[in-house]
Amino acid sequence: MKISEDAEKLINILSDNGCKAYAVGGCVRDYLLGKPEKDIDITTSAKPETVEEILKQNNIKVIETGLQHGTVTAVLNGENYEITTFRKDGEYKDNRRPESVSFVDDVKEDLSRRDFTINAMAYNHKEGIVDLFGGKKDIDNKVIRAVGNADLRFKEDALRIMRALRFSATLCFDIEESTKKAIFDNMYLLDNIAKERIFTELKKLLAGDNALQVLDAYKEVIGVVIPELKPAFDCVQNNPWHIYNVYDHIIHAVDAAPKDEIIRLTMLLHDIGKPSVKTTDEKGIDHFKFHAPVGADIAKKVLKRFKVSNEVYDKVTTLIRYHQGVENVDDIRVKRWLAKIGADYTKALFKVRISDLYAHNPAKIGYELKKLNEFLIELDEIVAAGEAFKISDLAVNGNDLIALGYKGKEIGEKLNEILMLVVDARLNNTKEDIVDYLNRK
Ligand code: ATP
Ligand code: MG
């Protein structure tokens, strides 16, 4: 194995001072997978104070942030390296975190507390790859396997359940049978885990190549972390446009979506409102009137619980709210959408609708897909040409309207009215034409 010169240097400095030190975890796994190197975590027998002392003697900058947890951050050529002392976890009482951690001398103990065999390998130049739990073999066989007794490991820390799903989705690995069984046996313990930590794993899961397979095989786990999705599991859609029930449609839409956090999350939640508004007409056809705004309100609750950023919250709920509005492509006017929600959101909305369509009856979607792809091109052209679609693009502003005698609320209303006319090409965006229009009224 080869790691960056700087990481090698840190490990060598520690070894030269009589300490054991290794690159550990994700970086060894990614190396064996042939993936490019990301951050390298280092684990060492040296206690944090000793690590700090040794680094300082070697003129290496140190950040002390994680000292209580045994972590010292070294900064070398602008890169941060977390150096953590070999640890053994104390007793776990709340399915979350150990009551205590203690420092140990043996790398084996440190590796045995790690979650999966593929994440429990260490490396240094002298010893090569230290693989005590069959991590290499599991990488070769594409298997996620808990280190030790899976049932106990998930009881210790239930977040590992979401991590197993995440690694399965991103690496396209299967979860080994006894680990899989332990996931289903312990999935309700996820209720004890901080929602934002679950969300971090969920986001990564959604971006995985195998998100569809994992969302399908582990839908009960998804039902634990997003109970609002449970009614979708068996919600039939008897409608010529559909070939899947609501949940299967949802996960196929996730699969069809670009690997963008906002769009994949939107797809996961886009039809969450359907079960609660379902009606069946006299011909037996199912309808889901107003499922978009209803779904946006449900999504708000879900996203608040996950404590997502304001940006994610606004974008995802807006896209869900409006996704039904682009169902009929013949009614779409790109510039009107631009005026309503801006270029960013409109582009995302069209992509949402394209992903949504791919999870419909393939015999029906050709025309819509073609139109939506044309709209994406049209949108880029409008933006590139600098055409007007927002108030600030207009050739007049509030001051011009004040000069013409408008006051207060009227000003905003007039500007909007002008914008709508300009967007619909019923009025030229020149000061002369706009003032002329206002004087005529
Ligand atoms: P990524 O490439 O996404 O960063 P990673 O494997 O580095 O993947 P991290 O969350 O950065 O994942 O964790 C670093 C290492 O710490 C893991 O490889 C694993 O050995 C260990 N680890 C992380 N979380 C847990 C956990 N909940 N239980 C046990 N070990 C864990
Ligand atoms: Mg990492």
Side-chain angles (χ1 to χ4, degrees):
M1 174 166 174
K2 224 178 127 38
I3 52 175
S4 75
E5 267 176 39
D6 286 340
E8 196 81 63
K9 179 173 165 187
L10 290 169
I11 289 172
N12 288 340
I13 289 173
L14 289 163
S15 333
D16 291 347
N17 282 273
C19 315
K20 286 175 232 155
Y22 304 86
V24 71
C27 64
V28 184
R29 178 198 67 220
D30 287 348
Y31 168 79
L32 291 171
L33 287 166
K35 296 199 171 176
E37 181 176 304
K38 283 190 303 192
D39 30 305
I40 293 187
D41 295 326
I42 293 170
T43 184
T44 179
S45 60
K47 304 285 181 293
E49 306 76 44
T50 315
V51 174
E52 212 180 326
E53 216 179 286
I54 295 173
L55 293 177
K56 282 187 177 158
Q57 279 164 7
N58 286 273
N59 296 320
I60 292 170
K61 193 178 157 202
V62 174
I63 309 174
E64 284 185 357
T65 39
L67 221 53
Q68 312 92 303
H69 315 288
T71 302
V72 173
T73 303
V75 188
L76 215 66
N77 293 320
E79 288 285 331
N80 284 7
Y81 296 87
E82 288 200 345
I83 306 179
T84 306
T85 306
F86 295 164
R87 274 170 35 178
K88 173 173 143 180
D89 294 336
E91 198 187 341
Y92 285 82
K93 287 211 174 124
D94 52 5
N95 322 113
R96 263 181 298 183
R97 296 197 194 270
E99 295 289 297
S100 60
V101 294
S102 49
F103 299 137
V104 292
D105 291 325
D106 190 352
V107 70
K108 177 166 186 185
E109 284 201 87
D110 185 87
L111 294 177
S112 66
R113 74 171 172 87
R114 293 175 183 270
D115 47 7
F116 306 110
T117 59
I118 61 168
N119 290 341
M121 290 179 279
Y123 163 85
N124 69 23
H125 188 63
K126 249 188 273 163
E127 293 175 52
I129 292 177
V130 181
D131 175 19
L132 305 171
F133 305 101
K136 263 192 222 162
K137 192 179 99 238
D138 284 341
I139 285 186
D140 287 343
N141 295 328
K142 297 179 175 286
V143 172
I144 312 282
R145 181 195 312 271
V147 172
N149 180 309
D151 185 62
L152 291 177
R153 302 310 309 284
F154 292 140
K155 284 194 165 67
E156 282 175 359
D157 177 2
L159 183 70
R160 291 171 187 155
I161 294 172
M162 285 306 290
R163 287 176 59 84
L165 269 51
R166 183 258 276 204
F167 285 115
S168 176
T170 54
L171 303 177
C172 304
F173 280 24
D174 280 333
I175 301 178
E176 174 273 330
E177 274 314 307
S178 71
T179 305
K180 182 172 181 174
K181 178 173 185 307
I183 286 176
F184 288 114
D185 289 346
N186 292 291
M187 63 186 183
Y188 289 104
L189 298 179
L190 278 165
D191 286 341
N192 301 335
I193 301 296
K195 301 291 176 278
E196 53 273 42
R197 297 177 73 209
I198 292 177
F199 183 67
T200 303
E201 299 299 333
L202 179 66
K203 244 180 353 194
K204 293 182 181 175
L205 186 171
L206 288 176
D209 283 335
N210 254 10
L212 169 66
Q213 289 75 5
V214 171
L215 292 171
D216 182 26
Y218 295 90
K219 75 174 176 192
E220 285 82 6
V221 181
I222 301 303
V224 174
V225 299
I226 311 179
E228 292 85 348
L229 272 175
K230 281 204 269 192
F233 290 172
D234 49 15
C235 184
V236 173
Q237 309 194 82
N238 185 19
N239 183 304
W241 273 87
H242 281 284
I243 51 172
Y244 300 120
N245 72 26
V246 174
Y247 186 75
D248 289 340
H249 161 72
I250 282 176
I251 64 180
H252 279 88
V254 169
D255 185 54
K259 288 196 182 86
D260 168 280
E261 178 188 335
I262 300 278
I263 301 202
R264 289 225 157 177
L265 191 56
T266 301
M267 297 331 293
L268 181 71
L269 302 176
H270 81 288
D271 277 350
I272 204 165
K274 270 187 170 174
S276 62
V277 300
K278 179 174 168 175
T279 55
T280 306
D281 67 21
E282 61 286 356
K283 292 190 193 109
I285 305 293
D286 297 328
H287 301 278
F288 301 92
K289 245 187 175 173
F290 303 121
H291 74 267
V294 170
D297 286 344
I298 300 173
K300 279 185 181 171
K301 273 196 234 152
V302 175
L303 295 171
K304 274 213 179 105
R305 209 165 55 223
F306 283 140
K307 299 198 172 82
V308 304
S309 69
N310 291 340
E311 191 206 341
V312 170
Y313 181 88
D314 286 342
K315 259 197 156 169
V316 172
T317 54
T318 304
L319 293 171
I320 295 175
R321 177 169 305 283
Y322 291 127
H323 86 270
Q324 250 183 307
V326 284
E327 272 181 4
N328 190 350
V329 287
D330 289 326
D331 288 344
I332 292 181
R333 301 283 173 273
V334 176
K335 265 203 204 168
R336 283 204 180 179
W337 277 107
L338 288 172
K340 191 176 165 106
I341 57 175
D344 232 31
Y345 279 42
T346 303
K347 205 168 187 168
L349 184 64
F350 291 163
K351 289 182 182 170
V352 163
R353 180 58 186 156
I354 289 171
S355 314
D356 189 359
L357 270 173
Y358 274 117
H360 281 73
N361 181 355
K364 289 254 183 195
I365 61 177
Y367 174 69
E368 267 74 9
L369 272 182
K370 182 170 162 286
K371 293 289 276 187
L372 280 157
N373 280 305
E374 285 167 8
F375 291 146
L376 277 173
I377 295 168
E378 187 185 337
L379 185 158
D380 281 341
E381 284 169 356
I382 292 170
V383 174
E387 289 183 46
F389 58 82
K390 44 186 191 300
I391 299 236
S392 59
D393 295 334
L394 291 176
V396 295
N397 61 27
N399 288 332
D400 297 318
L401 267 72
I402 292 169
L404 288 167
Y406 292 97
K407 289 192 197 72
K409 233 173 56 180
E410 247 182 352
I411 299 169
E413 284 167 9
K414 272 291 152 202
L415 286 171
N416 260 320
E417 181 184 317
I418 296 164
L419 180 65
M420 283 306 130
L421 292 169
V422 169
V423 158
D424 285 348
R426 285 156 59 200
L427 179 62
N428 284 327
N429 186 28
T430 61
K431 196 162 177 176
E432 199 186 346
D433 280 22
I434 295 171
V435 171
D436 188 44
Y437 164 77
L438 291 169
N439 284 334
R440 265 190 283 130
K441 291 208 76 173

